[in-house]
Amino acid sequence: ADLPNEIISQIFLVGTTDWRNTAPLTLPFPVIASSICYHWRQLARSNPVLWSFLVAPLHKEDEDCLYWISDWIGLSANLPLSVVVDDKLRRPRRSSEATNRLASEAVTLITQSWNRLRSLDISLDSFSLVKNQIIQLRHAPNLRQLSLCFRGPPFATIFIPEVDRPLPPSVTKLRAQNLALQSPCNLTSLTMHKPRLGYEGTQILFSGCPNLANLIIHNLVPVNSPIPAKRTEIRAESLQSLAI
Amino acid sequence: VYFLSFLKIPNLSYLEV
């Protein structure tokens, strides 16, 4: 109570940044800060910056989880949103199906604020329940960073039909696991897990993403596609960093 | 090696295989 509000706000900000950067799947710092006393609660809840990074609490009861997300989004006012939906936070003994269903409702709620989404990180077992929401992301004008990781059955790659073109050109950083996507043209960083990539796919990748500077490929699956007899080397002018 | 065999990367400053 003796500390000036400016100092307390600074502590909240540093704590929130630290939580976000080091352990986002643990108890959120803004929640800790707002649990201390009435004064701190008022102060924390009136600072939208603390709430602009949201981790869907899938370990809570369904209703509580969805209420949290709505409340959280409301507290962030009109700031750009960064969101994580990761089923590592699943409730013990809740079935995989029930977790996926809740995650799908959470993503629906989050994508209602599509115009404010800056970063979205989804990591789930199954893709099918969130497919429609992901396709809706093509309308998210401010989305910069997107991570879509689906464990799914091993060696199965889910293809989103190219016609759906689910990603807006604002996306510059993309990570995908078990998902074949049309890469957005302004991409600078791409991380792929288990992609099936041959000569032709690589050609499409670099001609479609002329600014791609960082590429990380986990478990590359080479494709035995026919290589043109007179193949020319694919020039990846923009690429600065490559890890396979 | 297969992947790198058909790529030309003139501005590469970091490579990890």
Side-chain angles (χ1 to χ4, degrees):
Chain A
D2 296 334
L3 289 172
N5 284 350
E6 293 74 26
I7 301 289
I8 301 174
S9 296
Q10 198 56 34
I11 293 170
F12 288 178
L13 204 58
V14 172
T16 300
T17 307
D18 188 56
W19 157 69
R20 174 182 174 152
N21 293 340
T22 59
L25 299 186
T26 59
L27 186 62
F29 190 85
V31 173
I32 300 173
S34 55
S35 306
I36 302 298
C37 62
Y38 179 79
H39 175 57
W40 278 36
R41 181 176 170 79
Q42 296 301 102
L43 211 55
R45 288 179 67 90
S46 60
N47 186 353
V49 177
L50 303 184
W51 310 92
S52 61
F53 177 75
L54 188 167
V55 181
L58 300 179
H59 57 293
K60 290 182 166 286
E61 293 286 357
D62 291 17
E63 262 183 44
D64 283 351
C65 170
L66 298 174
Y67 173 76
W68 257 59
I69 294 171
S70 299
D71 187 42
W72 200 287
I73 291 174
L75 291 171
S76 65
N78 287 319
L79 291 180
L81 277 175
S82 297
V83 181
V84 176
V85 180
D86 190 327
D87 65 6
K88 280 198 277 298
L89 272 180
R90 73 176 68 212
R91 193 172 185 78
R93 290 185 293 282
R94 180 189 272 148
S95 71
S96 175
E97 289 78 11
T99 304
N100 279 326
R101 240 188 347 264
L102 176 60
S104 165
E105 287 180 52
V107 173
T108 301
L109 203 53
I110 289 155
T111 47
Q112 281 170 6
S113 300
W114 50 270
N115 56 336
R116 290 172 51 205
L117 268 182
R118 173 166 291 176
S119 155
L120 179 61
D121 182 336
I122 297 178
S123 183
L124 297 173
D125 248 352
S126 162
F127 168 70
S128 55
L129 283 173
V130 290
K131 180 182 176 182
N132 288 335
Q133 294 96 321
I134 287 169
I135 289 172
Q136 288 305 313
L137 289 177
R138 65 188 158 186
H139 302 301
N142 297 311
L143 192 63
R144 303 271 185 280
Q145 194 173 318
L146 183 63
S147 172
L148 300 170
C149 293
F150 302 98
R151 285 179 296 278
F155 309 117
T157 302
I158 306 147
F159 287 89
I160 295 186
E162 205 176 300
V163 284
D164 287 335
R165 297 200 181 261
L167 305 182
S170 57
V171 173
T172 57
K173 205 170 171 188
L174 175 68
R175 177 171 62 179
Q177 179 176 350
N178 277 335
L179 201 62
L181 289 160
Q182 177 80 14
S183 296
C185 53
N186 293 319
L187 216 56
T188 57
S189 293
L190 175 64
T191 302
M192 296 188 279
H193 296 257
K194 292 194 291 180
R196 291 168 186 275
L197 211 52
Y199 179 81
E200 206 176 298
T202 308
Q203 207 168 32
I204 292 170
L205 176 67
F206 285 104
S207 61
C209 305
N211 302 319
L212 189 62
N214 306 296
L215 177 62
I216 300 173
I217 303 175
H218 296 275
N219 300 328
L220 173 68
V221 184
V223 177
N224 290 326
S225 61
I227 296 175
K230 282 189 181 173
R231 71 168 192 204
T232 48
E233 280 177 324
I234 299 166
R235 279 186 75 86
E237 296 278 353
S238 58
L239 200 61
Q240 291 167 18
S241 157
L242 171 65
I244 308 177
Chain B
V1 171
Y2 167 77
F3 185 74
L4 292 173
S5 69
F6 49 68
L7 266 182
K8 189 158 179 75
I9 317 172
N11 297 313
L12 195 70
S13 58
Y14 176 83
L15 174 67
E16 183 185 320
V17 181

